[in-house]
Amino acid sequence: ETGVTQSPTHLIKTRGQQVTLRCSSQSGHNTVSWYQQALGQGPQFIFQYYREEENGRGNFPPRFSGLQFPNYSSELNVNALELDDSALYLCASSPNRGLGVDTQYFGPGTRLTVL
Amino acid sequence: EDQVTQSPEALRLQEGESSSLNCSYTVSGLRGLFWYRQDPGKGPEFLFTLYSAGEEKEKERLKATLTKKESFLHITAPKPEDSATYLCAAQTGANNLFFGTGTRLTVIP
């Protein structure tokens, strides 16, 4: 069984640029959630996608947007990058079998540095 | 406002010295309390899910417990390889995980 994978591993951008991060969910999982983790902090929820539809959003501005594809992989797009966007971006997938609470399994993350 | 607080922020133990990590939560409609382990620069690794007060789960040297207001992660006779940051997270009706800031554990040989 393949786990959650993310690409790229590291990325350096300058302020004002745009970035796209990618995530492949674990086999059999139809839900993907994205989190931002600043240094020394816990992950913060950005949004969740279930079967290609946004299924909840945290307190992040509209310049953070996402997509989920028919194979349940996902992208996180961030426009007009700011210095505070520098963080580890984590993708997590879950099976969402409709039974209530599902465990989210995390990928290794993408380290984004904004200069 | 939903809140998850972990203590202590950092903990140094001698190998074999047992201790507990605390996670206090104030959330509306707790559906599950999760514990994850995170190594530096890596994604969180799932450890446990607890659903109701009184529930306990064990895995090797780790044991997680849950009350109506807090959860504890007990570490028995830790080894250096247990060194990591331990995160707890509450899942509410919104389906997202609300994380604490973690406890950074260092086990000294």
Side-chain angles (χ1 to χ4, degrees):
Chain A
E1 185 178 272
T2 306
V4 179
T5 60
Q6 293 187 242
S7 62
T9 307
H10 296 91
L11 204 50
I12 299 175
K13 292 285 188 178
T14 56
R15 198 170 50 181
Q17 284 189 310
Q18 178 265 341
V19 69
T20 298
L21 311 181
R22 294 179 175 82
C23 170
S24 291
S25 59
Q26 188 168 317
S27 175
H29 289 188
N30 57 20
T31 300
V32 172
S33 304
W34 285 91
Y35 293 81
Q36 180 196 67
Q37 187 176 24
L39 207 59
Q41 301 297 312
Q44 278 198 293
F45 176 69
I46 303 175
F47 43 57
Q48 182 181 88
Y49 279 84
Y50 169 62
R51 293 187 174 180
E52 303 177 60
E53 297 285 332
E54 190 177 286
N55 186 42
R57 188 180 181 93
N59 190 25
F60 280 80
R63 58 189 186 86
F64 286 79
S65 62
L67 280 175
Q68 188 179 31
F69 301 99
N71 66 354
Y72 303 131
S73 66
S74 177
E75 285 183 355
L76 164 65
N77 298 290
V78 187
N79 293 322
L81 284 167
E82 301 177 0
L83 298 179
D84 284 349
D85 295 333
S86 294
L88 182 68
Y89 287 84
L90 295 162
C91 165
S93 74
S94 50
N96 196 347
R97 300 187 185 98
L99 301 176
V101 177
D102 287 304
T103 298
Q104 295 186 22
Y105 296 90
F106 285 82
T110 294
R111 171 70 62 188
L112 173 65
T113 303
V114 182
L115 302 176
Chain B
E1 183 182 319
D2 292 345
Q3 197 163 15
V4 175
T5 304
Q6 292 189 247
S7 62
E9 287 186 12
L11 182 62
R12 287 171 65 90
L13 298 174
Q14 290 293 135
E15 185 173 0
E17 180 187 1
S18 302
S19 188
S20 295
L21 282 54
N22 177 264
C23 171
S24 299
Y25 61 92
T26 308
V27 299
S28 50
L30 180 75
R31 300 179 67 193
L33 191 291
F34 292 77
W35 283 96
Y36 287 86
R37 169 195 169 125
Q38 187 174 29
D39 292 304
K42 298 191 176 180
E45 174 190 342
F46 170 71
L47 294 174
F48 302 109
T49 310
L50 301 166
Y51 296 99
S52 56
E55 189 174 1
E56 298 183 353
K57 288 193 177 173
E58 285 188 69
K59 179 180 177 181
E60 297 180 355
R61 295 178 292 283
L62 300 177
K63 178 180 174 181
T65 62
L66 182 66
T67 72
K68 288 187 177 179
K69 292 185 178 180
E70 55 193 351
S71 178
F72 293 93
L73 185 66
H74 308 277
I75 304 177
T76 302
K79 298 182 177 182
E81 52 262 42
D82 294 324
S83 297
T85 295
Y86 290 85
L87 296 164
C88 80
Q91 183 166 5
T92 66
N95 285 328
N96 58 289
L97 292 175
F98 195 85
F99 280 88
T101 53
T103 292
R104 189 172 66 254
L105 174 67
T106 305
V107 181
I108 305 160

